[in-house]
Amino acid sequence: MLELKEITYDNLKAVIKLSDTLSEQDKKHVAPNVVSLAEAYLNFNIAWPRAIVVDDVVVGFVMLGLDNYIAEEKDWPVYFLWRFMMGTEYQGKGYGKQTLDLIVQKCKEEGRKYLYVSSTRIDPMPYQMYINYGFEDTGLVDDGESVLKLKII
């Protein structure tokens, strides 16, 4: 069963080392997890970092921004999918969709109207994964990445 677990001393090293499993191409799409965790520490009031765990094995990392960053004001309140990565050996197993399903559930429970994400376009993935899930391209660009949004409620 896939779960989103708090980052603790017990899983910290596994989360950090997961970045080393990515191909050079995949590394172009997401910051190393250690950088994400440092950003979470510096932005503790809005960052929601979690280990993606399946049967007690850390398979990925996800971090939400719990503010309205990047979103058009008419869409507030939103969450921002700040970081999302899956270890190489765990890609293509449906864990990405399951993780997004849990994030969407959190958004619903907490009354968010949209889930925003920004994505590189150097390769078809991860952009195409978001489109396939139901995100729509807003036409906006932030820091060179396409901004997408998913209607929650």
Side-chain angles (χ1 to χ4, degrees):
M1 180 172 91
L2 187 137
E3 303 172 89
L4 303 181
K5 293 191 172 183
E6 249 184 279
I7 308 297
T8 65
Y9 283 111
D10 293 334
N11 62 21
L12 176 65
K13 286 182 183 175
V15 169
I16 291 171
K17 288 181 181 179
L18 209 53
S19 292
D20 297 336
T21 72
L22 297 180
S23 68
E24 290 306 310
Q25 195 61 26
D26 283 349
K27 288 179 182 178
K28 294 177 183 177
H29 301 289
V30 66
N33 291 343
V34 70
V35 170
S36 297
L37 291 168
E39 289 178 341
Y41 175 79
L42 294 172
N43 295 282
F44 65 92
N45 56 328
I46 60 161
W48 190 79
R50 293 295 185 268
I52 303 168
V53 179
V54 176
D55 298 327
D56 294 323
V57 175
V58 175
V59 301
F61 172 77
V62 65
M63 183 164 74
L64 290 179
L66 305 179
D67 62 351
N68 292 308
Y69 170 74
I70 223 172
E72 300 173 77
E73 192 171 345
K74 67 180 177 57
D75 292 344
W76 293 1
V78 309
Y79 282 156
F80 176 66
L81 186 55
W82 194 348
R83 294 285 157 67
F84 186 22
M85 69 83 62
M86 200 64 62
T88 296
E89 68 182 284
Y90 307 109
Q91 294 176 13
K93 298 180 183 282
Y95 298 148
K97 182 186 180 311
Q98 290 176 50
T99 300
L100 286 173
D101 289 347
L102 290 176
I103 296 296
V104 166
Q105 186 60 39
K106 176 178 177 58
C107 289
K108 286 179 181 175
E109 290 169 0
E110 298 180 9
R112 303 298 108 173
K113 290 168 62 177
Y114 286 91
L115 176 62
Y116 269 70
V117 67
S118 65
S119 178
T120 59
R121 297 287 300 271
I122 342 173
D123 297 312
M125 294 299 188
Y127 178 86
Q128 195 58 51
M129 177 195 70
Y130 294 123
I131 294 297
N132 291 347
Y133 189 83
F135 282 83
E136 296 178 10
D137 195 319
T138 65
L140 301 172
V141 175
D142 181 63
D143 199 23
E145 296 185 352
S146 296
V147 177
L148 300 99
K149 66 181 182 179
L150 178 71
K151 186 168 181 56
I152 303 294
I153 56 172

